[in-house]
């Protein structure tokens, strides 16, 4: 709960922002108190990122007022925001750090710029070490940033904010790339910063995390402020309803689909220490959940089945036929599709249009005499955009300009016309808002109803329990437990996922 007598830190009043043809923010109010973690929520396109970009100086607002500690401000640039003690920790940490510099140089960067020609490296290293020790970072300040893990890079960003006496830190989807253990460590650091008087704005699509850390919750929808309430007075169902503007009684739509004959058989599949003799079956119409903590081997398993990596041993059988999987095209031709975890790197071509991404797997069908028939491609793209609910509904929009949820719809949708038999989804809702998440679950349910076999790989326990007919728990490269939908609980899954050995 929020500490007493915190005092007001930030006021944003009547913030309005328009882009050509779009009113992104309409008279939005937002407050932040000292010693508070304030969650800012909303579906993709709600305006929360625009509001935070105005606070952090990336955008300027059209009308409205911003004040910190009662002082009215006119923030025009990110540098001006940092001078006021406003810092950001983003999901994409690499964009905020200089990879070729050391940890000290990244943490103390602003002080180095302000310090003139003379720099005492010994003093800077000591200061950086003291700050990192305070947040439990156990790596050398002399390390190059590009040698660090994502969670360590996040600690560098937090240390930079602390080095410059941040008053406000914006955490924008910071746990998306983190394991459960790394996320919990981050929450402890956030709690510590709060106790020291820092105001924290927390943006996350993971509502369980919001209720784990937030004192208050503000919800935005369609560029407007909807409500602000104490987190203790809200629940997940109420938050989802406020975000979507309609009742959403079931977060994970689960169609009642008859389960058919065995479709896929995996026998003794292995690769090094990442995948150790995994065997299972998948039936038509079945959604098979594969769950485990980060590093359990889920992604590596999906890549072996898709032919992206070479197996050391084991077999994959589809519809009674043993497959020779030397590369992904072998899997695609056999009828296996994969929506990978890293959608921006492996799932979509971010610099290409929605239309071109949706056409890629079926270029042969859309071509004649070696040339793509643009008319057929346009018709196909328009049909798929409507079916997938991609927003904005412009097939010629470049994918990198779409929200995470809409990028994922494209990553899923491009495989639908291939008429594959098996669809694998690796962390498909990573960084996706509840509205787009619901659309993705419905697409998966539709595929299952058509008799496709679905393998749903995730570390999101509530999603696995909500969508899967049967669940395999992985730990250290092995399947350690199989659970039915009826018997699966988060506690039971975590017990097996953490133990690392089969019962």
């Amino acid at each position: 709960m929020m500490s007493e007598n915190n005092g007001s830190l930030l006021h944003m009043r009547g913030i309005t922002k328009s882009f050509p043809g779009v009113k992104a923010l309409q008279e939005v109010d937002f407050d932040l108190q000292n010693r508070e973690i304030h969650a800012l929520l909303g579906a993709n396109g709600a305006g929360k990122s625009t509001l935070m970009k105005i606070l952090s100086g990336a955008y300027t607002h059209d009308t409205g007022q911003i004040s910190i500690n009662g002082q009215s401000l006119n923030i025009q640039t990110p540098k001006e925001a940092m001078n006021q003690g406003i810092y950001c920790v983003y999901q994409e940490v690499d964009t905020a750090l200089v990879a070729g510099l050391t940890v000290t140089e990244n943490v103390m960067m602003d002080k180095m710029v302000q310090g003139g020609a003379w720099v005492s490296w010994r003093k800077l290293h000591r200061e950086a070490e003291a700050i990192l020790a305070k947040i439990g970072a156990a790596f050398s300040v002399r390390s190059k940033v590009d040698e660090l893990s994502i969670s360590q890079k996040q600690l560098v960003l937090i240390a930079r904010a602390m080095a410059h006496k941040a008053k406000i830190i914006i955490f924008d989807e910071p746990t998306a790339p983190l394991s459960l253990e790394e996320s919990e460590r981050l929450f402890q650091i956030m709690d510590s910063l709060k106790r020291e008087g820092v105001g924290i704005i927390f943006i996350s699509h993971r509502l369980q995390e919001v209720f784990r850390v937030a004192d208050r919750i503000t919800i935005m929808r369609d560029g407007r402020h909807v409500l602000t309430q104490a987190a203790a007075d809200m629940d997940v169902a109420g938050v989802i309803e406020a975000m979507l503007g309609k009742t959403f009684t079931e977060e994970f739509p689960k169609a009642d689909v008859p389960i058919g004959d065995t479709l896929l058989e995996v026998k003794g599949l292995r690769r090094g220490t990442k995948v150790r003799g995994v065997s299972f079956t998948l039936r038509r119409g079945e959604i098979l959940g594969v769950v485990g903590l980060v590093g359990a081997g889920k992604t590596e398993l999906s890549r072996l089945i898709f032919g992206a990596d070479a197996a050391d041993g084991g077999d994959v059988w589809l519809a009674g036929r043993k497959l020779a999987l030397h590369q992904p095209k072998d899997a695609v031709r056999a009828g296996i599709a994969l929506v990978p975890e890293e959608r921006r790197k492996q799932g979509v071509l971010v610099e290409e249009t929605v239309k071109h991404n949706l056409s890629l797997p079926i270029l042969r069908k859309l071509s004649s005499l070696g040339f793509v028939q643009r008319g057929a491609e346009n018709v196909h793209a328009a049909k798929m955009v409507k079916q997938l609910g991609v927003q904005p509904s412009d097939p010629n929009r470049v994918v990198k300009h779409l929200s995470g949820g809409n990028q994922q719809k494209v990553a899923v949708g491009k495989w639908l016309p291939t008429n594959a038999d098996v669809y694998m989804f690796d962390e498909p809702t990573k960084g996706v808002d509840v509205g787009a998440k619901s659309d993705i679950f419905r697409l998966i349910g539709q595929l299952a109803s058509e008799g496709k076999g679905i393998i749903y790989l995730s570390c999101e326990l509530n999603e696995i329990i909500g969508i899967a007919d049967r669940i395999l728990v992985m730990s250290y490269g092995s399947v350690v437990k199989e659970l039915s939908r009826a018997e699966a609980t988060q506690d039971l899954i975590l017990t097996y996922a953490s133990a690392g050995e089969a019962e």
Side-chain angles (χ1 to χ4, degrees):
M1 293 297 294
M2 193 161 46
S3 304
E4 296 181 0
N5 300 318
N6 286 333
S8 179
L9 172 59
L10 168 71
H11 284 288
M12 302 182 77
R13 286 286 176 268
I15 304 298
T16 299
K17 177 66 177 178
S18 294
F19 298 102
V22 179
K23 199 157 191 177
L25 298 177
Q26 302 181 58
E27 301 289 326
V28 175
D29 294 343
F30 181 80
D31 293 306
L32 179 66
Q33 296 183 350
N34 290 298
R35 296 182 172 85
E36 176 186 36
I37 298 177
H38 194 146
L40 179 60
L41 307 181
N44 285 335
K48 57 188 186 297
S49 293
T50 301
L51 186 67
M52 290 300 97
K53 285 180 179 179
I54 287 171
L55 178 60
S56 60
Y59 293 160
T60 57
H61 55 289
D62 300 334
T63 60
Q65 293 87 38
I66 301 174
S67 62
I68 294 180
N69 290 328
Q71 178 186 355
S72 182
L73 303 174
N74 183 22
I75 300 171
Q76 297 286 320
T77 66
K79 187 176 187 303
E80 290 178 8
M82 287 188 286
N83 289 341
Q84 296 297 329
I86 302 167
Y87 280 79
C88 301
V89 177
Y90 294 111
Q91 171 187 340
E92 303 290 344
V93 291
D94 288 327
T95 61
L97 297 170
V98 182
L101 298 183
T102 65
V103 171
T104 292
E105 288 168 322
N106 275 275
V107 170
M108 310 302 292
M109 187 175 293
D110 293 345
K111 285 194 174 183
M112 291 168 60
V113 172
Q114 296 166 4
W118 176 253
V119 173
S120 171
W121 285 106
R122 180 177 296 179
K123 182 180 179 182
L124 289 176
H125 285 319
R126 281 202 306 266
E127 286 187 46
E129 285 171 346
I131 295 167
L132 287 164
K134 199 171 184 179
I135 57 177
F139 49 87
S140 171
V141 295
R142 291 170 172 80
S143 299
K144 293 290 181 65
V145 161
D146 55 11
E147 299 170 356
L148 304 181
S149 67
I150 290 176
S151 61
Q152 290 173 329
K153 290 175 182 177
Q154 278 195 344
L155 293 178
V156 174
L157 283 179
I158 295 169
R160 178 191 291 174
M162 294 173 66
H164 300 92
K165 311 298 181 187
K167 299 173 187 173
I168 297 168
I169 302 180
I170 303 164
F171 287 87
D172 190 356
E173 295 289 350
T175 62
L178 303 185
S179 68
L180 293 176
E181 295 89 346
E182 291 167 341
S183 295
E184 183 57 34
R185 176 59 187 154
L186 176 63
F187 297 151
Q188 293 170 4
I189 292 170
M190 290 167 63
D191 285 332
S192 176
L193 291 168
K194 180 180 79 168
R195 288 193 298 271
E196 293 180 11
V198 177
I200 293 174
I201 301 171
F202 180 51
I203 300 173
S204 177
H205 292 311
R206 297 175 174 178
L207 298 185
Q208 289 180 316
E209 295 180 350
V210 170
F211 285 99
R212 157 70 176 82
V213 298
D215 298 301
R216 283 194 298 162
I217 295 172
T218 285
I219 296 175
M220 294 180 64
R221 185 174 69 245
D222 299 329
R224 299 179 182 274
H225 172 273
V226 175
L227 63 82
T228 297
Q229 243 176 268
D233 296 334
M234 302 190 73
D235 58 23
V236 170
V239 167
I240 291 174
E241 184 174 345
M243 288 171 65
L244 299 181
K246 58 185 178 182
T247 302
F248 190 20
T249 56
E250 187 177 8
E251 189 177 356
F252 308 104
K254 181 75 173 84
D256 186 13
V257 175
I259 306 299
D261 298 331
T262 297
L263 175 62
L264 181 78
E265 293 181 86
V266 173
K267 301 178 180 180
L269 205 58
R270 55 188 173 84
R271 179 179 169 88
T273 60
K274 297 294 186 180
V275 179
R276 307 177 189 225
V278 170
S279 300
F280 64 86
T281 60
L282 174 69
R283 295 186 289 172
R284 293 188 181 276
E286 182 179 35
I287 300 177
L288 177 66
V290 179
V291 64
L293 304 178
V294 171
K298 306 184 303 297
T299 294
E300 290 80 3
L301 175 62
S302 69
R303 288 178 60 84
L304 290 180
I305 297 171
F306 195 58
D309 293 328
D312 295 336
D315 300 316
V316 178
W317 295 69
L318 180 61
R321 181 167 62 93
K322 183 178 176 181
L323 303 182
L325 299 171
H326 303 296
Q327 49 192 327
K329 72 177 182 181
D330 298 328
V332 173
R333 288 172 179 171
I336 299 174
L338 170 64
V339 179
E341 176 181 7
E342 296 296 335
R343 61 173 170 265
R344 290 180 63 88
K345 293 180 180 178
Q346 301 169 349
V348 291
L349 300 176
V350 294
E351 299 292 341
E352 293 292 337
T353 63
V354 171
K355 177 174 66 180
H356 290 160
N357 273 274
L358 292 173
S359 301
L360 276 174
I362 58 165
L363 279 178
R364 286 188 178 183
K365 292 181 181 179
L366 298 174
S367 300
S368 176
L369 301 176
F371 294 95
V372 176
Q373 301 301 297
R374 297 304 175 191
E377 185 182 31
N378 290 335
V379 170
H380 169 70
K383 176 186 174 184
M384 292 306 302
V385 164
K386 183 177 180 180
Q387 179 181 341
L388 297 165
V390 176
Q391 294 294 333
S393 57
D394 177 9
N396 294 306
R397 193 174 184 86
V398 176
V399 167
K400 70 178 179 182
H401 297 314
L402 298 178
S403 67
N406 284 292
Q407 288 181 12
Q408 190 69 316
K409 289 179 186 179
V410 174
V412 174
K414 73 179 188 180
W415 291 113
L416 298 185
T418 66
N419 198 31
D421 289 311
V422 175
Y423 288 81
M424 295 187 290
F425 297 85
D426 188 7
E427 301 288 357
T429 62
K430 181 178 175 181
V432 171
D433 74 278
V434 293
K437 186 182 294 187
S438 174
D439 290 339
I440 291 168
F441 290 148
R442 286 193 173 91
L443 281 170
I444 292 172
Q446 178 62 36
L447 289 170
S449 71
E450 295 171 2
K452 311 299 184 183
I454 311 296
I455 301 176
Y456 191 96
L457 307 104
S458 179
C459 61
E460 299 288 345
L461 307 187
N462 57 336
E463 289 184 12
I464 286 285
I465 292 171
I467 198 172
D469 298 296
R470 187 162 52 97
I471 297 168
L472 303 180
V473 185
M474 287 192 71
S475 181
Y476 297 105
S478 301
V479 173
V480 296
K481 187 67 175 178
E482 179 178 322
L483 299 168
S484 69
R485 178 182 175 85
E487 66 185 333
T489 65
Q490 293 197 34
D491 289 346
L492 191 58
I493 291 173
L494 268 178
T495 297
Y496 288 108
S498 304
E501 58 184 58
E503 185 182 63

